PDB file of all heavy atoms in Angstrom:
ATOM      1  N   PHE Z 236      25.114  -2.863 210.969  1.00 93.00           N
ATOM      2  CA  PHE Z 236      23.820  -2.221 210.530  1.00 93.00           C
ATOM      3  C   PHE Z 236      22.612  -3.048 211.321  1.00 93.00           C
ATOM      4  O   PHE Z 236      22.617  -4.224 211.319  1.00 93.00           O
ATOM      5  CB  PHE Z 236      23.629  -2.297 209.075  1.00 93.00           C
ATOM      6  CG  PHE Z 236      22.411  -1.520 208.599  1.00 93.00           C
ATOM      7  CD1 PHE Z 236      22.519  -0.209 208.456  1.00 93.00           C
ATOM      8  CD2 PHE Z 236      21.201  -2.209 208.306  1.00 93.00           C
ATOM      9  CE1 PHE Z 236      21.407   0.530 208.024  1.00 93.00           C
ATOM     10  CE2 PHE Z 236      20.008  -1.451 207.905  1.00 93.00           C
ATOM     11  CZ  PHE Z 236      20.216  -0.167 207.691  1.00 93.00           C
ATOM     12  N   PRO Z 237      21.757  -2.335 211.879  1.00 92.00           N
ATOM     13  CA  PRO Z 237      20.579  -2.905 212.593  1.00 92.00           C
ATOM     14  C   PRO Z 237      19.633  -3.557 211.705  1.00 92.00           C
ATOM     15  O   PRO Z 237      19.187  -2.991 210.596  1.00 92.00           O
ATOM     16  CB  PRO Z 237      20.017  -1.706 213.333  1.00 92.00           C
ATOM     17  CG  PRO Z 237      20.389  -0.464 212.490  1.00 92.00           C
ATOM     18  CD  PRO Z 237      21.675  -0.771 211.986  1.00 92.00           C
ATOM     19  N   GLN Z 238      19.335  -4.823 211.915  1.00 92.00           N
ATOM     20  CA  GLN Z 238      18.478  -5.615 211.057  1.00 92.00           C
ATOM     21  C   GLN Z 238      17.014  -5.133 211.024  1.00 92.00           C
ATOM     22  O   GLN Z 238      16.397  -5.140 210.008  1.00 92.00           O
ATOM     23  CB  GLN Z 238      18.508  -7.078 211.519  1.00 92.00           C
ATOM     24  CG  GLN Z 238      19.870  -7.767 211.294  1.00 92.00           C
ATOM     25  CD  GLN Z 238      20.271  -7.894 209.846  1.00 92.00           C
ATOM     26  OE1 GLN Z 238      19.424  -8.218 209.040  1.00 92.00           O
ATOM     27  NE2 GLN Z 238      21.493  -7.577 209.551  1.00 92.00           N
ATOM     28  N   LYS Z 239      16.516  -4.587 212.152  1.00 92.00           N
ATOM     29  CA  LYS Z 239      15.205  -4.172 212.212  1.00 92.00           C
ATOM     30  C   LYS Z 239      14.966  -2.977 211.236  1.00 92.00           C
ATOM     31  O   LYS Z 239      13.741  -2.712 210.884  1.00 92.00           O
ATOM     32  CB  LYS Z 239      14.756  -3.850 213.628  1.00 92.00           C
ATOM     33  CG  LYS Z 239      15.524  -2.647 214.174  1.00 92.00           C
ATOM     34  CD  LYS Z 239      15.094  -2.276 215.672  1.00 92.00           C
ATOM     35  CE  LYS Z 239      15.802  -0.996 216.152  1.00 92.00           C
ATOM     36  NZ  LYS Z 239      15.313  -0.698 217.470  1.00 92.00           N
ATOM     37  N   ALA Z 240      15.910  -2.262 210.908  1.00 92.00           N
ATOM     38  CA  ALA Z 240      15.738  -1.029 210.062  1.00 92.00           C
ATOM     39  C   ALA Z 240      15.459  -1.481 208.719  1.00 92.00           C
ATOM     40  O   ALA Z 240      14.860  -0.723 207.837  1.00 92.00           O
ATOM     41  CB  ALA Z 240      17.000  -0.121 210.112  1.00 92.00           C
ATOM     42  N   LYS Z 241      15.789  -2.684 208.133  1.00 92.00           N
ATOM     43  CA  LYS Z 241      15.532  -3.079 206.838  1.00 92.00           C
ATOM     44  C   LYS Z 241      14.064  -3.250 206.506  1.00 92.00           C
ATOM     45  O   LYS Z 241      13.738  -3.136 205.397  1.00 92.00           O
ATOM     46  CB  LYS Z 241      16.303  -4.439 206.597  1.00 92.00           C
ATOM     47  CG  LYS Z 241      17.833  -4.340 206.572  1.00 92.00           C
ATOM     48  CD  LYS Z 241      18.453  -5.672 206.722  1.00 92.00           C
ATOM     49  CE  LYS Z 241      18.047  -6.531 205.633  1.00 92.00           C
ATOM     50  NZ  LYS Z 241      18.714  -7.954 205.705  1.00 92.00           N
ATOM     51  N   ALA Z 242      13.244  -3.395 207.528  1.00 92.00           N
ATOM     52  CA  ALA Z 242      11.784  -3.636 207.327  1.00 92.00           C
ATOM     53  C   ALA Z 242      11.209  -2.301 206.844  1.00 92.00           C
ATOM     54  O   ALA Z 242      10.044  -2.374 206.296  1.00 92.00           O
ATOM     55  CB  ALA Z 242      11.166  -4.057 208.528  1.00 92.00           C
ATOM     56  N   TYR Z 243      11.833  -1.168 206.923  1.00 93.00           N
ATOM     57  CA  TYR Z 243      11.249   0.072 206.644  1.00 93.00           C
ATOM     58  C   TYR Z 243      11.850   0.629 205.319  1.00 93.00           C
ATOM     59  O   TYR Z 243      11.416   1.707 204.897  1.00 93.00           O
ATOM     60  CB  TYR Z 243      11.501   1.200 207.718  1.00 93.00           C
ATOM     61  CG  TYR Z 243      10.919   0.802 209.080  1.00 93.00           C
ATOM     62  CD1 TYR Z 243      11.614   0.074 209.952  1.00 93.00           C
ATOM     63  CD2 TYR Z 243       9.624   1.251 209.380  1.00 93.00           C
ATOM     64  CE1 TYR Z 243      11.007  -0.292 211.158  1.00 93.00           C
ATOM     65  CE2 TYR Z 243       9.093   0.951 210.647  1.00 93.00           C
ATOM     66  CZ  TYR Z 243       9.716   0.224 211.522  1.00 93.00           C
ATOM     67  OH  TYR Z 243       9.182  -0.088 212.746  1.00 93.00           O
ATOM     68  N   LEU Z 244      12.656  -0.160 204.612  1.00 94.00           N
ATOM     69  CA  LEU Z 244      13.359   0.301 203.386  1.00 94.00           C
ATOM     70  C   LEU Z 244      12.866  -0.570 202.309  1.00 94.00           C
ATOM     71  O   LEU Z 244      12.819  -1.889 202.445  1.00 94.00           O
ATOM     72  CB  LEU Z 244      14.813   0.342 203.614  1.00 94.00           C
ATOM     73  CG  LEU Z 244      15.324   1.327 204.618  1.00 94.00           C
ATOM     74  CD1 LEU Z 244      16.822   1.069 204.972  1.00 94.00           C
ATOM     75  CD2 LEU Z 244      15.143   2.734 204.287  1.00 94.00           C
ATOM     76  N   VAL Z 245      12.666   0.014 201.124  1.00 93.00           N
ATOM     77  CA  VAL Z 245      12.304  -0.759 199.888  1.00 93.00           C
ATOM     78  C   VAL Z 245      13.025  -0.272 198.740  1.00 93.00           C
ATOM     79  O   VAL Z 245      13.546   0.920 198.766  1.00 93.00           O
ATOM     80  CB  VAL Z 245      10.773  -0.796 199.648  1.00 93.00           C
ATOM     81  CG1 VAL Z 245       9.944  -1.401 200.757  1.00 93.00           C
ATOM     82  CG2 VAL Z 245      10.328   0.775 199.496  1.00 93.00           C
ATOM     83  N   ILE Z 246      13.157  -1.016 197.716  1.00 93.00           N
ATOM     84  CA  ILE Z 246      13.726  -0.546 196.415  1.00 93.00           C
ATOM     85  C   ILE Z 246      12.659  -0.711 195.392  1.00 93.00           C
ATOM     86  O   ILE Z 246      12.329  -1.890 194.975  1.00 93.00           O
ATOM     87  CB  ILE Z 246      14.994  -1.468 196.077  1.00 93.00           C
ATOM     88  CG1 ILE Z 246      16.057  -1.124 197.167  1.00 93.00           C
ATOM     89  CG2 ILE Z 246      15.434  -1.043 194.728  1.00 93.00           C
ATOM     90  CD1 ILE Z 246      17.330  -1.959 196.893  1.00 93.00           C
ATOM     91  N   GLN Z 247      12.172   0.336 194.853  1.00 86.00           N
ATOM     92  CA  GLN Z 247      11.075   0.367 193.834  1.00 86.00           C
ATOM     93  C   GLN Z 247      11.686   0.414 192.429  1.00 86.00           C
ATOM     94  O   GLN Z 247      11.051  -0.127 191.485  1.00 86.00           O
ATOM     95  CB  GLN Z 247      10.135   1.502 194.073  1.00 86.00           C
ATOM     96  CG  GLN Z 247       9.421   1.417 195.372  1.00 86.00           C
ATOM     97  CD  GLN Z 247       8.618   2.744 195.699  1.00 86.00           C
ATOM     98  OE1 GLN Z 247       8.712   3.615 194.933  1.00 86.00           O
ATOM     99  NE2 GLN Z 247       7.767   2.618 196.665  1.00 86.00           N
ATOM    100  N   SER Z 248      12.764   1.049 192.257  1.00 81.00           N
ATOM    101  CA  SER Z 248      13.397   1.121 190.928  1.00 81.00           C
ATOM    102  C   SER Z 248      14.911   1.012 191.028  1.00 81.00           C
ATOM    103  O   SER Z 248      15.546   1.923 191.473  1.00 81.00           O
ATOM    104  CB  SER Z 248      13.020   2.451 190.245  1.00 81.00           C
ATOM    105  OG  SER Z 248      13.352   3.505 190.965  1.00 81.00           O
ATOM    106  N   ALA Z 249      15.427  -0.057 190.661  1.00 84.00           N
ATOM    107  CA  ALA Z 249      16.902  -0.308 190.794  1.00 84.00           C
ATOM    108  C   ALA Z 249      17.547   0.030 189.413  1.00 84.00           C
ATOM    109  O   ALA Z 249      17.196  -0.637 188.423  1.00 84.00           O
ATOM    110  CB  ALA Z 249      17.195  -1.717 191.203  1.00 84.00           C
ATOM    111  N   ASN Z 250      18.344   1.047 189.353  1.00 89.00           N
ATOM    112  CA  ASN Z 250      19.022   1.467 188.136  1.00 89.00           C
ATOM    113  C   ASN Z 250      20.442   1.759 188.423  1.00 89.00           C
ATOM    114  O   ASN Z 250      20.878   2.928 188.395  1.00 89.00           O
ATOM    115  CB  ASN Z 250      18.333   2.570 187.449  1.00 89.00           C
ATOM    116  CG  ASN Z 250      18.833   2.935 186.123  1.00 89.00           C
ATOM    117  OD1 ASN Z 250      19.469   2.035 185.481  1.00 89.00           O
ATOM    118  ND2 ASN Z 250      18.620   4.221 185.568  1.00 89.00           N
ATOM    119  N   PRO Z 251      21.183   0.761 188.745  1.00 92.00           N
ATOM    120  CA  PRO Z 251      22.660   0.986 189.237  1.00 92.00           C
ATOM    121  C   PRO Z 251      23.568   1.498 188.185  1.00 92.00           C
ATOM    122  O   PRO Z 251      23.231   1.288 186.877  1.00 92.00           O
ATOM    123  CB  PRO Z 251      23.027  -0.435 189.724  1.00 92.00           C
ATOM    124  CG  PRO Z 251      22.331  -1.391 188.979  1.00 92.00           C
ATOM    125  CD  PRO Z 251      20.842  -0.747 188.714  1.00 92.00           C
ATOM    126  N   ARG Z 252      24.604   2.256 188.620  1.00 92.00           N
ATOM    127  CA  ARG Z 252      25.544   2.622 187.535  1.00 92.00           C
ATOM    128  C   ARG Z 252      26.482   1.397 187.200  1.00 92.00           C
ATOM    129  O   ARG Z 252      26.957   0.637 188.056  1.00 92.00           O
ATOM    130  CB  ARG Z 252      26.455   3.681 188.223  1.00 92.00           C
ATOM    131  CG  ARG Z 252      27.496   4.344 187.294  1.00 92.00           C
ATOM    132  CD  ARG Z 252      28.284   5.484 187.979  1.00 92.00           C
ATOM    133  NE  ARG Z 252      28.997   5.027 189.064  1.00 92.00           N
ATOM    134  CZ  ARG Z 252      28.701   5.198 190.329  1.00 92.00           C
ATOM    135  NH1 ARG Z 252      27.614   5.962 190.683  1.00 92.00           N
ATOM    136  NH2 ARG Z 252      29.519   4.750 191.314  1.00 92.00           N
ATOM    137  N   LYS Z 253      26.689   1.252 185.879  1.00 93.00           N
ATOM    138  CA  LYS Z 253      27.329   0.083 185.323  1.00 93.00           C
ATOM    139  C   LYS Z 253      28.702   0.317 184.931  1.00 93.00           C
ATOM    140  O   LYS Z 253      29.138   1.395 184.525  1.00 93.00           O
ATOM    141  CB  LYS Z 253      26.547  -0.594 184.160  1.00 93.00           C
ATOM    142  CG  LYS Z 253      25.140  -0.950 184.589  1.00 93.00           C
ATOM    143  CD  LYS Z 253      24.439  -1.616 183.376  1.00 93.00           C
ATOM    144  CE  LYS Z 253      23.002  -2.054 183.816  1.00 93.00           C
ATOM    145  NZ  LYS Z 253      22.976  -3.175 184.783  1.00 93.00           N
ATOM    146  N   LEU Z 254      29.613  -0.772 185.063  1.00 93.00           N
ATOM    147  CA  LEU Z 254      31.032  -0.729 184.616  1.00 93.00           C
ATOM    148  C   LEU Z 254      31.226  -1.374 183.259  1.00 93.00           C
ATOM    149  O   LEU Z 254      30.710  -2.593 183.197  1.00 93.00           O
ATOM    150  CB  LEU Z 254      31.841  -1.347 185.770  1.00 93.00           C
ATOM    151  CG  LEU Z 254      31.596  -0.875 187.231  1.00 93.00           C
ATOM    152  CD1 LEU Z 254      32.454  -1.717 188.174  1.00 93.00           C
ATOM    153  CD2 LEU Z 254      32.061   0.572 187.310  1.00 93.00           C
ATOM    154  N   ASN Z 255      31.883  -0.897 182.389  1.00 95.00           N
ATOM    155  CA  ASN Z 255      32.283  -1.553 181.190  1.00 95.00           C
ATOM    156  C   ASN Z 255      33.494  -2.375 181.406  1.00 95.00           C
ATOM    157  O   ASN Z 255      34.624  -1.765 181.466  1.00 95.00           O
ATOM    158  CB  ASN Z 255      32.359  -0.523 180.029  1.00 95.00           C
ATOM    159  CG  ASN Z 255      32.470  -1.262 178.701  1.00 95.00           C
ATOM    160  OD1 ASN Z 255      33.115  -2.121 178.458  1.00 95.00           O
ATOM    161  ND2 ASN Z 255      31.613  -0.622 177.785  1.00 95.00           N
TER     162      ASN Z 255
END
Side-chain angles (χ1 to χ4, degrees):
F236 188 81
Q238 293 295 316
K239 65 178 183 179
K241 293 166 56 178
Y243 297 89
L244 299 169
V245 295
I246 296 178
Q247 297 176 348
S248 59
N250 188 22
R252 185 175 64 251
K253 297 183 180 294
L254 307 173
N255 192 314

